[in-house]
Amino acid sequence: MIVYCDSLLGITADHLRGGFYAGWPNPPTPETHLKVLHGSSHVVLARDGETGPVVGYITAISDGVLAAYIPHLEVLPAYRGQGIGSALVKHLLDQLRHLYMIDLICDPDVQPFYERLGLRPYSGMIYRNYDRQSGEV
Ligand SMILES: CC(C)(COP(=O)(O)OP(=O)(O)OC[C@H]1O[C@@H](n2cnc3c(N)ncnc32)[C@H](O)[C@@H]1OP(=O)(O)O)[C@@H](O)C(=O)NCCC(=O)NCCS
């Protein structure tokens, strides 16, 4: 059974070893992934069972007044197509419902997924330091 939670209590890097950041040439380690979760203002995790591994997660960073940005959403490949990604987005949007702006960047092929959840396409700009992709100090 998939369990959703917004607390990092008891979560260790060992819960994050399922293969997140799939396709990233220089992915963060599970230890760095845990730092990302702790550094986020909002987190929702999907776990396989109450104490099981994390199989999906979404984060937001917010000013707490008007705006939030959603940098990460990922569901492990073996768990996709079961509604977990949609549930993570819905849980997070519920946490952020008091804000005016909730933004994210995504590839065009994922836009229909987000549109079904109430988001709409817009244009954006990005800047990347690719040598910082792993997040290692
Ligand atoms: C996007 C993602 C989180 C969806 O998770 P999920 O648990 O499979 O989502 P759901 O089961 O709720 O919904 C799946 C639906 O979204 C569609 N979808 C998801 N990713 C898609 C993609 N890259 N291209 C096209 N359709 C996609 C699926 O086709 C499916 O549609 P269906 O219900 O009509 O079959 C997951 O595919 C993932 O982790 N992808 C890699 C990371 C990523 O792209 N994250 C988004 C960054 S902005």
Side-chain angles (χ1 to χ4, degrees):
M1 185 186 60
I2 301 299
V3 177
Y4 297 92
C5 63
D6 56 14
S7 165
L8 296 174
L9 204 65
I11 300 292
T12 68
D14 284 338
H15 292 110
L16 300 167
R17 297 201 192 279
F20 287 108
Y21 301 99
W24 285 40
N26 194 15
T29 63
E31 288 74 16
T32 302
H33 188 177
L34 187 60
K35 286 187 200 170
V36 168
L37 299 180
H38 278 286
S40 302
S41 56
H42 301 77
V43 177
V44 185
L45 304 177
R47 300 183 71 175
D48 192 346
E50 290 284 346
T51 57
V54 174
V55 300
Y57 76 102
I58 190 168
T59 63
I61 47 181
S62 174
D63 58 26
V65 181
L66 284 180
Y69 176 68
I70 299 175
H72 300 290
L73 165 67
E74 188 174 1
V75 175
L76 293 178
Y79 289 84
R80 289 181 194 167
Q82 307 171 29
I84 297 173
S86 301
L88 287 169
V89 173
K90 284 179 192 165
H91 281 289
L92 186 68
L93 290 180
D94 191 46
Q95 288 186 22
L96 302 175
R97 63 187 178 281
H98 59 294
L99 298 174
Y100 168 57
M101 303 162 59
I102 302 165
D103 300 340
L104 61 84
I105 299 286
C106 71
D107 291 336
D109 62 343
V110 197
Q111 285 179 341
F113 165 80
Y114 285 116
E115 280 188 285
R116 288 205 300 247
L117 295 161
L119 287 83
R120 59 190 168 94
Y122 209 69
S123 61
M125 303 288 286
I126 66 167
Y127 188 99
R128 293 285 185 271
N129 291 316
Y130 287 104
D131 60 340
R132 302 292 309 131
Q133 190 178 65
S134 74
E136 295 302 322
V137 178

